Amino acid sequence: MRTTRLPAVLLAAACATATTAVAVGAGASFGAPSAHAADPGGQAFAIADPRITESSGLAASRQHPGVYWTHNDSDDGPYVYAIDSRGRTVATVTLRGVEPRDVEAISLGPDGRLYVGDLGDNLGGKWPEVWIYAFAEPAELRDQAVEVTRYKVRYEDGPRDAEALMVHPVTGRAYIASKKQGGGGLYQGPEKLSPTGVNTFRRIADAPWTTDGAFSPDGTRLVLRGYFSATLYRWKDDAPSEPRPLSTPFQRQGESVTFTSDGRALLYGTEGKDSPVWRAPLDDAQLPDTVEPLRSATPAPSDPSAPAAPTSGAAVPPASDGGKDAPAGTGDKVLGVAFLAAIAVAVFGLRRKKREG
């Protein structure tokens, strides 16, 4: 999302990031042994398509292992892109009859449909309503146009900016996390979205500064991320609990997150040309309830998004996109990086252009 923000706002967000970074650097987690020895993580791929310069959401495909759905957030048109595990675009889907305003998120529901959130509101309350578009995940990966169902969305406590849409993989209920200085809210949609009436979302919990979110494949975990930090929650009785900070990669503008299809890792994305997507494995107690912990250094079951093993005998560190992004890990999340994050937030935010409604 492109906008211009006051330095105080930017630095407030950065300070929150610094706090999270220090906590993570100190080893904050659900307290289980690390599985990183078996899966160190690293850059999974970079999005190579020159049309995708503002990737703002990620969703792991259910029908096509190793494929991820993404989209630009504005000024692109009604397009959703399928990206493979090497960063190549393998399908472009055009949403018929849609004139998007500020698309910020994408999520896959248990009904096999992709839900696209046209939720952005840079002025923090200008739009009385926003929209969700839904269409069946294509069985065949090819360029095509699809019909969509459009859902009108309002918040019970008035308009607000939001960038995260999460559809629960078991119940099919939609949730939106608002984005606000000092923290926003998590909003719950009706049990079933109506294509004819207004769908009112009600606030059920507080949420940190959020640019994207995702449920684990079994629905027992929720992750909410911001530009430089992320929080993992247990999900029980239709509500989040036990928030814990996660180690995140240092990205130029962190905008997206999704679980891998096996639930063992998170993928973090960022805006920009040739934007890298980083894989961060979860520690044992962070894993979704239905995922068995790794009890040895034996590699996890093959996941198409995992970084390729070196072909020679020498250890090869993961690519770093010229130093703009760094691999996920607790050791590098110390106070120095937090201050860099604060500076980066201020610089990047002040350089972004304010978009006309």
Side-chain angles (χ1 to χ4, degrees):
M1 182 183 87
R2 296 178 299 173
T3 183
T4 301
R5 301 190 180 277
L6 296 175
V9 174
L10 295 167
L11 292 176
C15 288
T17 297
T19 301
T20 300
V22 172
V24 174
S29 69
F30 282 116
S34 174
H36 288 194
D39 182 358
Q43 183 171 315
F45 56 87
I47 298 176
D49 193 325
R51 298 172 297 175
I52 307 174
T53 59
E54 294 184 355
S55 175
S56 193
L58 279 176
S61 171
R62 192 172 295 140
Q63 292 199 53
H64 311 286
V67 168
Y68 297 87
W69 296 97
T70 191
H71 53 82
N72 287 310
D73 74 353
S74 61
D75 302 326
D76 180 43
Y79 307 119
V80 174
Y81 305 94
I83 308 297
D84 70 11
S85 59
R86 300 176 73 176
R88 303 170 301 186
T89 300
V90 292
T92 300
V93 176
T94 303
L95 310 186
R96 286 198 182 106
V98 171
E99 295 181 5
R101 186 168 58 199
D102 191 356
V103 176
E104 292 287 357
I106 188 167
S107 184
L108 184 62
D111 56 0
R113 293 194 299 169
L114 286 161
Y115 291 77
V116 179
D118 195 351
L119 310 173
D121 187 345
N122 289 349
L123 301 182
K126 177 178 180 181
W127 310 117
E129 61 191 39
V130 292
W131 304 284
I132 296 173
Y133 315 117
F135 63 95
E137 182 179 18
E140 182 181 353
L141 291 175
R142 58 178 175 81
D143 293 351
Q144 57 192 287
V146 299
E147 300 293 337
V148 304
T149 301
R150 174 172 166 155
Y151 300 102
K152 185 184 297 184
V153 171
R154 291 179 185 171
Y155 304 96
E156 68 171 357
D157 50 359
R160 58 208 56 252
D161 189 19
E163 297 189 15
L165 168 68
M166 298 77 63
V167 178
H168 195 275
V170 177
T171 67
R173 200 161 197 165
Y175 297 83
I176 294 172
S178 66
K179 177 183 176 185
K180 184 179 180 181
Q181 178 190 7
L186 181 66
Y187 289 79
Q188 180 188 66
E191 188 173 348
K192 185 176 182 180
L193 294 174
S194 168
T196 56
V198 174
N199 296 277
T200 300
F201 279 61
R202 64 182 185 89
R203 183 169 178 146
I204 62 169
D206 293 338
W209 179 290
T210 301
T211 58
D212 199 15
F215 282 109
S216 61
D218 66 358
T220 64
R221 298 289 185 275
L222 170 70
V223 63
L224 298 177
R225 78 158 300 176
Y227 290 129
F228 296 99
S229 62
T231 305
L232 185 70
Y233 302 84
R234 294 188 186 276
W235 189 262
K236 186 177 181 181
D237 299 327
D238 297 326
S241 63
E242 301 180 44
R244 294 292 187 273
L246 287 172
S247 176
T248 58
F250 183 71
Q251 296 177 306
R252 48 194 165 196
Q253 186 178 322
E255 285 278 352
S256 59
V257 67
T258 189
F259 280 82
T260 54
S261 57
D262 62 5
R264 291 191 174 278
L266 293 167
L267 291 186
Y268 293 98
T270 177
E271 287 192 0
K273 183 180 178 182
D274 298 320
S275 58
V277 175
W278 285 87
R279 174 188 172 92
L282 295 171
D283 288 341
D284 285 351
Q286 297 169 339
L287 291 172
D289 289 350
T290 60
V291 178
E292 289 293 328
L294 297 175
R295 295 305 182 186
S296 70
T298 304
S302 177
D303 184 275
S305 67
T311 55
S312 67
V316 180
S320 62
D321 189 42
K324 296 178 182 176
D325 299 88
T330 56
D332 60 338
K333 293 297 183 179
V334 293
L335 188 58
V337 172
F339 283 121
L340 289 177
I343 295 171
V345 172
V347 172
F348 293 142
L350 290 173
R351 293 180 60 186
R352 303 180 74 192
K353 297 180 180 178
K354 182 176 182 181
R355 184 173 64 245
E356 294 280 332

